[in-house]
Amino acid sequence: MDFSTAYYSIRHSTLFDKLVRLYIPDHVYNWLVYYFQGYSNCTKYENNTSAFADISASIIQRPAIAPASYVVHASDLVSVIAGNSLCDYADDTYVIIPASNHLSRCDELDNIETWANHNNLHLNGAKCVKTVFSQTMHRCTIHPTAPLPDITGVSTIKILGVTVSNKLSVSDHISYVIRSCAHSLHAPCTL
């Protein structure tokens, strides 16, 4: 699942409400509040400059703070059907639904859409994809599922930077890495 401009859409007040529930020490919470407050923005066009406006929604994209803040923000996004899983890594969200629960797909998507709307996020249907994983060693019949609105079916998916096929193979990824290494070594070998 892809949320459009996730880091820029998160309200500070919502993030702080979720941080309070973590029972972190007061001085750490206060430092985080201080860290996110006090930012403003203005626009300059030709010789005109707008007034400064306080920024009340956005996670500053610094390596240590942004991914962890997003994970805290998304911590209350949970599956509505037992057996299904939602996995987050930074701003990437994966919905894992076993074959036995394939009829719950729309319920899970509705849950995610409701959560996103409540948390000032928007699902980007153009970047959301689905794949059906199966093992080639097991001769089982995969029943085609009804198409999902705004979600394209694909045969490979990139998970945390690794390309995985719907047959649970990473051979495409390995081939890509080997080609990249060969290109990187071509110039030094030529010299």
Side-chain angles (χ1 to χ4, degrees):
M1 307 301 296
D2 183 80
F3 297 105
S4 298
T5 62
Y7 283 122
Y8 300 110
S9 302
I10 294 173
R11 287 187 213 101
H12 292 166
S13 58
T14 306
L15 176 62
F16 299 151
D17 288 344
K18 293 178 183 188
L19 283 168
V20 165
R21 290 186 231 148
L22 294 179
Y23 303 108
I24 57 177
D26 288 344
H27 66 279
V28 174
Y29 174 82
N30 292 336
W31 181 85
L32 287 166
V33 170
Y34 178 77
Y35 179 82
F36 281 103
Q37 289 181 338
Y39 289 94
S40 57
N41 191 20
C42 72
T43 302
K44 184 174 183 176
Y45 180 72
E46 293 180 352
N47 291 331
N48 300 317
T49 303
S50 70
F52 280 89
D54 289 337
I55 296 173
S56 61
S58 180
I59 295 176
I60 298 134
Q61 292 197 36
R62 301 253 166 77
I65 297 294
S69 297
Y70 183 83
V71 168
V72 168
H73 184 266
S75 63
D76 60 347
L77 175 59
V78 293
S79 173
V80 292
I81 306 295
N84 296 349
S85 298
L86 294 173
C87 301
D88 296 315
Y89 181 77
D91 62 341
D92 294 330
T93 301
Y94 301 95
V95 183
I96 302 167
I97 301 174
S100 60
N101 285 353
H102 77 278
L103 296 175
S104 68
R105 297 173 311 140
C106 292
D107 293 335
E108 289 295 351
L109 292 176
D110 289 343
N111 172 52
I112 293 168
E113 184 103 34
T114 300
W115 178 88
N117 290 335
H118 180 74
N119 285 278
N120 201 38
L121 296 174
H122 174 71
L123 275 174
N124 183 355
K127 288 188 174 180
C128 294
V129 296
K130 76 158 190 154
T131 190
V132 178
F133 292 103
S134 65
Q135 293 180 333
T136 56
M137 296 171 13
H138 296 90
R139 302 229 184 254
C140 61
T141 305
I142 297 175
H143 301 288
T145 55
L148 292 170
D150 299 327
I151 298 182
T152 306
V154 295
S155 61
T156 61
I157 188 170
K158 196 171 248 190
I159 302 172
L160 302 178
V162 177
T163 304
V164 181
S165 79
N166 60 353
K167 303 295 183 199
L168 297 174
S169 169
V170 293
S171 61
D172 289 342
H173 181 75
I174 292 169
S175 296
Y176 170 76
V177 170
I178 290 170
R179 279 193 313 275
S180 296
C181 291
H183 289 296
S184 298
L185 292 174
H186 178 72
C189 290
T190 306
L191 292 175

